[in-house]
């Protein structure tokens, strides 16, 4: 039997942590994931040292900010896992992923990097279950991999980020992508 050596956070440390996450979320949404960490700390009413005690680097802060959204995406995939229409469930979940990536400027680029692999591993696993179910139902080609699908989804979010004046772009690109996923494989000579 093992015991955990991690102590619970003191109440003031928990408040600081929570305020830092709230302010980081807002700053990333307003200014992108390159938002100033000093500004985030100032907006949270703490010093930069407090921010670094909780989050040793920018990627640690980004991971923490995205954990809530990740949890929601994972929960949604569990809900959709038994949907009557496997392809519709996959499409709904992919739309949620694109929406999540579009909530913060710069997140699509960040999600495509390996720096946020803590987030991408469970996300890929959740998507793989939905993809497999849609493939087994014959709705999605069997040669489609979750890696390719996540890259396409992130590329759609990145394209949408670059075209903020076209709010319909993500859905158009997702529909276009899905047509290819359902079609016959194209053999190249």
């Amino acid at each position: 039997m093992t015991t955990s050596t991690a102590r619970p956070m003191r109440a003031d440390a928990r408040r600081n942590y929570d305020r830092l996450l709230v302010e980081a979320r807002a700053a990333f949404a307003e200014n992108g994931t390159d938002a100033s960490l000093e500004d985030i700390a100032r907006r949270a009413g703490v010093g930069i040292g407090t921010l670094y005690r909780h989050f040793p680097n920018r990627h640690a802060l980004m991971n923490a900010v995205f954990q809530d959204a990740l949890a929601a995406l994972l929960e949604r995939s569990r809900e959709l896992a038994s949907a009557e229409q496997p392809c519709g469930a996959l499409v709904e979940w992919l739309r949620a992923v694109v929406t999540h990536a579009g909530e913060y400027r710069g997140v699509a680029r960040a999600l495509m990097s390996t720096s946020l692999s803590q987030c991408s591993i469970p996300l890929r696993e959740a998507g793989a279950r939905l993809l497999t179910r849609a493939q087994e139902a014959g709705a999605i080609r069997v040669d489609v991999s979750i890696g390719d699908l996540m890259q396409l989804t992130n590329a759609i979010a990145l394209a949408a980020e670059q075209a903020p004046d076209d709010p319909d772009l993500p859905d158009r690109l997702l529909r276009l992508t899905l047509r290819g996923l359902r079609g016959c494989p194209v053999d190249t000579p």
Side-chain angles (χ1 to χ4, degrees):
M1 182 173 175
T2 61
T3 59
S4 174
T5 59
R7 295 183 313 183
M9 251 189 242
R10 292 185 337 249
D12 61 330
R14 171 52 68 187
R15 278 191 304 275
N16 289 342
Y17 180 89
D18 292 342
R19 280 196 315 253
L20 283 164
L21 286 180
V22 166
E23 294 304 332
R25 222 175 261 116
F28 291 162
E30 293 168 17
N31 304 309
T33 54
D34 291 330
S36 164
L37 297 182
E38 290 81 8
D39 286 344
I40 291 169
R42 185 175 26 262
R43 288 167 59 163
V46 300
I48 191 68
T50 299
L51 183 144
Y52 282 118
R53 268 192 298 283
H54 289 290
F55 309 103
N57 55 49
R58 178 178 301 277
H59 291 296
L61 179 58
M62 287 169 56
N63 272 330
V65 166
F66 302 133
Q67 287 304 312
D68 287 341
L70 174 64
L73 288 171
L74 295 176
E75 177 60 29
R76 189 65 188 133
S77 76
R78 285 187 286 275
E79 292 167 0
L80 292 168
S82 59
E84 194 172 311
Q85 298 293 323
C87 188
L90 177 64
V91 170
E92 183 177 332
W93 187 76
L94 291 174
R95 278 194 178 107
V97 171
V98 170
T99 299
H100 163 66
E103 287 176 357
Y104 307 100
R105 289 188 355 215
V107 75
R109 203 171 313 115
L111 286 174
M112 285 202 268
S113 76
T114 58
S115 319
L116 292 176
S117 62
Q118 280 184 316
C119 292
S120 69
I121 291 170
L123 204 56
R124 282 175 179 264
E125 290 171 352
R129 286 188 291 274
L130 294 172
L131 174 61
T132 298
R133 195 162 170 263
Q135 288 170 322
E136 289 171 351
I140 300 291
R141 295 171 19 183
V142 295
D143 62 337
V144 174
S145 74
I146 191 60
D148 291 343
L149 194 53
M150 294 305 292
Q151 286 288 342
L152 288 168
T153 304
N154 286 326
I156 290 168
L158 184 58
E161 186 178 297
Q162 300 300 313
D165 296 337
D166 188 356
D168 298 327
L169 181 64
D171 202 52
R172 277 197 325 271
L173 291 176
L174 186 58
R175 282 194 318 267
L176 179 63
T177 299
L178 292 170
R179 283 187 200 115
L181 296 176
R182 291 180 181 148
C184 297
V186 176
D187 292 330
T188 55

